Amino acid sequence: MNAMLNWLAQIASITKFGLMSIPQRRGAVFATVIGIAGVVAVLVGVLSIGAGFRRAMTNSGSADAAIVLRSGSDSEMVSGFGRAETRLIADAPGVARNKDGPLASAELFVIINLAKRSTGTDANVPLRGVEGAAVSVRENLQVAEGRMFAWGKNEVIVGRGASREFAGLEVGSTVKVGREAWPVVGVFTANGGVAESEIWTDAKVLQAAYKRGDSFQSVYARLNSAAAFTEFKDALTSNPQLNVKVLRQSEHYAAQSETLTRLISTLGFIIAFLMAIGAVFGALNTMYSAVAARTREIATLRALGFGSGAVVIALMIESLVLALLGGAVGAGLAYAAFNNYRAATMNWQSFSQVTFAFAVTPHLLVQGVVWATLIGLIGGLLPAIRAARQPIAAALREL
Amino acid sequence: MSDSQAKNNELVRVDNVEKIFHRGSEEIHVLSKLSLLVPTGEFLALMGPSGSGKSTLLNLIGGLDRPTNGTVTVAGDRIDQLSDRQLAAWRARHIGFVFQLYNLMPVLTAERNVELPLLLTTLTKAQRQKHVATALAMVGLSHRAKHYPRTMSGGEQQRVGIARGIVTDPTLLLCDEPTGDLDRKAGDEILNLLQALNREHGKTIIMVTHDPHASARAARTVHLTKGQLTREAVA
Ligand SMILES: Nc1ncnc2c1ncn2[C@@H]1O[C@H](COP(=O)(O)OP(=O)(O)O)[C@@H](O)[C@H]1O
Ligand SMILES: [Mg+2]
């Protein structure tokens, strides 16, 4: 017990000498800490894009809501239904109801071009036609400014994200739809979900404006419960009059975000990995010079009988402390710079823009610190082993 | 303690020791067929020109290095046969070192420097504190306990070094040119101190020096030239 404590005291005192000598080596130490901070900031920053995008997409749908597409279609873009079909879907078992009837909204959407505020260049924005139940079918959809559009009128409401991202989408301005200009009467929020990137209007009005007859592309339905999904899906897929694909909204959005999140994560890892290699060399260099500067000191301690194991562990601790400091700085920087940073990107499955906020999640912060730890361990190991294996007699001769 | 040591009162036995260093392909024969006996309680000076192998011999006796050939026995232990790990523990138990350049930790106060070797023992903090106070008192530096090495003169730093060397009450005190970096006056004080440790406290001391003035304080002087002990003088 006492021997163990004394061994810890050995490690503690060697570590202390190392940490206390940092001011004498502050240049190299500073460079290392900043290098590691850079790796962590970039890693966390890039991954926060993916995390934010995924969050936007998964916030969009809940497990007790479903989306129905024509079978064989991967997205609403290529799906299509007639009025008879959408009615069969809305009346299927499992669909929740209120006094106005089933909570199901048959919808269609077109893509319009609007100028981005940031660059002035045109980008695709979805203009969605919805039915009365649309609001209850979405998660937490609320008109935050102005009012809901009037049914049967050429009016639109605009998602908060779209209104932020594109010019001319404030309440009171107008949107060019075909040859006409439709007034924007409200701005809505949807829990940060994908709907916030869209412009909404009455489905009937949109059908007329785009000469779509009485056709739709999808049906959004709120179910009695998450468990009712199976019943709903089975009823639709076994109905010979229908040829449909039924998805939970949550799954649908998660699938839509997958490609992009994976791309971003891969990219983030590659960049961070390359930077991490650089940071490992920085840490190696710092620790090698720390060992070199303390050759005689370490040799003296070993001459007194301090174990080489204690020397290795103490130097590793020093390296880890520097790395963790860098990791904390990097994670803090990433949090300050990127958390809730607003952006818009192409959703390749719908060929339109999705707005979202970068999310520096606790999980990403932990991941950043883990990377810093690894850099510190790798960068500290070789110098520590060198210090421990130096022949004492030779090291004592050095000045 | 082995029987022979008990009989002969011999503390250090260096037998037919060779030490060869390699620098690239070159072989440096530093010690050849060297033998030396040091009885318990002796104050021995080891003299010789620079580069003659004095430090090398001292390091072999202190378990900092191993001979290429021959045996080194200290306090009954064949230390040339011990592993690195065993040697470290053995040094902590038996050897006190005093270095020419003091080798104090600049970030520690005098008393913390003196305490260092005690961290390798099983003493409690209070016990360590007591030993440190005693050692500092023996070198006359109690009033400087809380001071840092950089605020002390060379002579004071070396006295801290000696306190650190004796704080564990080692079997053997090894000093490598302890006055080599000091002026005559400070050097004399160190030599007085070593002499007192030897005479009044019975410490066995081996001191490397190339200063005849220093070796004159020792009870016996051996000379090292070309890797061999050439002549002995008893004071
Ligand atoms: N670790 C080592 N590697 C190579 N040569 C060494 C080493 N240690 C000592 N020497 C050489 O051995 C010789 C004796 O050195 P040393 O024992 O330090 O002499 P002294 O202490 O008498 O001045 C010198 O030539 C020195 O260069
Ligand atoms: Mg020497």
Side-chain angles (χ1 to χ4, degrees):
Chain A
M1 186 61 209
N2 236 338
M4 183 70 192
L5 279 178
N6 280 282
W7 197 65
L8 293 179
Q10 281 183 53
I11 295 172
S13 45
I14 305 174
T15 308
K16 193 167 128 195
F17 306 150
L19 294 178
M20 288 173 89
S21 71
I22 282 177
Q24 290 151 36
R25 315 177 264 127
R26 61 179 97 78
V29 168
F30 186 74
T32 302
V33 169
I34 293 303
I36 294 172
V39 174
V40 171
V42 167
L43 177 77
V44 173
V46 173
L47 295 184
S48 77
I49 302 173
F53 186 65
R54 192 182 308 118
R55 180 187 280 177
M57 295 304 271
T58 46
N59 274 5
S60 306
S62 51
D64 65 347
I67 173 168
V68 185
L69 303 175
R70 171 162 301 284
S71 115
S73 39
D74 283 330
S75 75
E76 288 181 88
M77 288 287 289
V78 293
S79 171
F81 292 123
R83 166 67 69 189
E85 291 164 304
T86 62
R87 195 156 292 152
L88 278 173
I89 294 166
D91 288 334
V95 176
R97 295 177 156 271
N98 67 11
K99 59 178 168 28
D100 301 323
L103 296 183
S105 164
E107 303 183 354
L108 72 159
F109 81 88
V110 299
I111 299 289
I112 62 172
N113 270 308
L114 288 174
K116 282 193 157 196
R117 277 186 204 279
S118 52
T119 56
T121 52
D122 278 3
N124 290 340
V125 185
L127 169 57
R128 178 181 292 274
V130 302
E131 294 190 314
V135 171
S136 3
V137 164
R138 297 315 198 282
E139 277 303 291
N140 254 326
L141 192 131
Q142 274 163 347
V143 175
E145 224 182 289
R147 59 171 172 85
M148 182 65 182
F149 60 78
W151 300 99
K153 275 202 169 163
N154 293 349
E155 291 178 350
V156 301
I157 57 172
V158 176
R160 168 79 77 206
S163 132
R164 236 187 232 132
E165 191 68 21
F166 298 98
L169 290 185
E170 299 84 20
V171 176
S173 57
T174 58
V175 184
K176 257 189 89 191
V177 181
R179 293 223 174 85
E180 298 169 60
W182 294 9
V184 176
V185 298
V187 170
F188 67 92
T189 58
N191 218 12
V194 131
E196 285 191 15
S197 307
E198 299 176 338
I199 304 174
W200 280 17
T201 186
D202 181 355
K204 282 215 178 66
V205 169
L206 192 62
Q207 283 172 336
Y210 280 80
K211 305 197 168 47
R212 291 282 183 93
D214 205 6
S215 74
F216 298 89
Q217 282 160 288
S218 56
V219 177
Y220 284 74
R222 163 91 36 209
L223 305 176
N224 286 323
S225 67
F229 178 77
T230 318
E231 181 192 12
F232 175 66
K233 180 178 179 176
D234 290 348
L236 293 187
T237 47
S238 62
N239 186 336
Q241 290 169 275
L242 290 172
N243 186 15
V244 297
K245 175 173 170 181
V246 186
L247 299 160
R248 287 185 202 272
Q249 273 187 31
S250 50
E251 290 164 0
H252 171 66
Y253 288 121
Q256 293 221 327
S257 65
E258 209 169 274
T259 318
L260 191 67
T261 15
R262 195 177 304 134
L263 183 76
I264 293 169
S265 304
T266 310
L267 209 69
F269 278 122
I270 292 173
I271 298 172
F273 186 75
L274 293 177
M275 289 182 67
I277 293 176
V280 163
F281 279 106
L284 270 174
N285 190 45
T286 304
M287 291 314 292
Y288 268 130
S289 51
V291 166
R294 275 145 61 202
T295 301
R296 203 158 59 96
E297 192 177 297
I298 291 171
T300 303
L301 289 169
R302 291 181 56 208
L304 298 182
F306 279 70
S308 42
V311 170
V312 170
I313 291 176
L315 288 169
M316 294 294 286
I317 292 176
E318 179 180 334
S319 172
L320 264 186
V321 166
L322 297 185
L324 286 176
L325 189 66
V329 169
L333 278 180
Y335 189 84
F338 298 121
N339 198 35
N340 280 328
Y341 179 82
R342 300 236 138 240
T345 188
M346 194 73 164
N347 176 0
W348 294 101
Q349 273 91 355
S350 70
F351 288 98
S352 54
Q353 295 277 318
V354 179
T355 65
F356 65 98
F358 290 15
V360 178
T361 60
H363 172 237
L364 288 186
L365 294 176
V366 168
Q367 203 170 331
V369 171
V370 167
W371 276 59
T373 307
L374 287 177
I375 293 171
L377 286 178
I378 298 170
L381 187 61
L382 292 174
I385 288 176
R386 171 188 283 188
R389 294 180 62 157
Q390 244 164 0
I392 305 173
L396 279 172
R397 299 172 70 85
E398 291 187 25
L399 287 182
Chain B
M1 274 196 204
S2 72
D3 291 344
S4 69
Q5 190 209 332
K7 266 184 236 137
N8 306 337
N9 188 32
E10 77 184 35
L11 183 59
V12 179
R13 169 183 282 274
V14 176
D15 232 346
N16 265 318
V17 155
E18 260 189 316
K19 182 65 185 177
I20 302 171
F21 287 115
H22 296 267
R23 194 176 285 147
S25 59
E26 192 192 350
E27 281 194 349
I28 309 168
H29 292 255
V30 179
L31 305 176
S32 35
K33 300 274 177 216
L34 186 148
S35 298
L36 173 69
L37 286 180
V38 182
T40 303
E42 180 160 59
F43 183 1
L44 176 75
L46 186 55
M47 285 196 75
S50 178
S52 56
K54 304 182 295 294
S55 297
T56 302
L57 178 56
L58 199 72
N59 289 342
L60 293 178
I61 295 170
L64 292 178
D65 206 353
R66 291 191 197 80
T68 312
N69 281 305
T71 66
V72 179
T73 313
V74 179
D77 295 317
R78 273 285 299 276
I79 61 168
D80 55 289
Q81 291 178 326
L82 298 181
S83 70
D84 283 354
R85 180 193 289 268
Q86 290 169 322
L87 272 180
W90 180 86
R91 286 193 301 269
R93 200 166 59 247
H94 289 292
I95 303 293
F97 286 102
V98 176
F99 304 92
Q100 177 174 354
L101 298 174
Y102 333 126
N103 292 20
L104 302 177
M105 305 295 137
V107 296
L108 298 184
T109 59
E111 62 178 354
R112 292 280 151 261
N113 265 292
V114 174
E115 186 188 15
L116 277 175
L118 296 178
L119 296 179
L120 304 167
T121 66
T122 53
L123 298 179
T124 64
K125 196 168 175 60
Q127 290 170 318
R128 292 203 300 265
Q129 204 56 48
K130 229 170 82 188
H131 282 74
V132 168
T134 309
L136 280 173
M138 281 171 83
V139 302
L141 277 185
S142 302
H143 62 294
R144 298 287 258 158
K146 308 268 186 227
H147 293 234
Y148 286 90
R150 64 169 179 281
T151 67
M152 298 183 186
S153 70
E156 285 175 320
Q157 292 190 49
Q158 190 58 297
R159 283 195 274 159
V160 175
I162 291 172
R164 180 181 66 186
I166 59 174
V167 72
T168 55
D169 192 18
T171 316
L172 183 58
L173 186 62
L174 300 178
C175 313
D176 195 344
E177 315 228 15
T179 60
D181 221 49
L182 300 174
D183 58 32
R184 171 56 61 86
K185 185 171 170 290
D188 276 340
E189 282 171 22
I190 295 300
L191 292 168
N192 289 341
L193 186 53
L194 291 176
Q195 221 167 11
L197 286 172
N198 172 249
R199 289 190 180 155
E200 289 153 35
H201 300 272
K203 286 272 136 230
T204 311
I205 301 176
I206 303 179
M207 174 177 71
V208 163
T209 181
H210 57 246
D211 177 7
H213 182 82
S215 68
R217 302 297 201 91
R220 178 165 71 114
T221 302
V222 292
H223 287 262
L224 190 58
T225 349
K226 301 210 172 114
Q228 304 235 282
L229 292 177
T230 46
R231 60 197 162 86
E232 298 205 359
V234 181

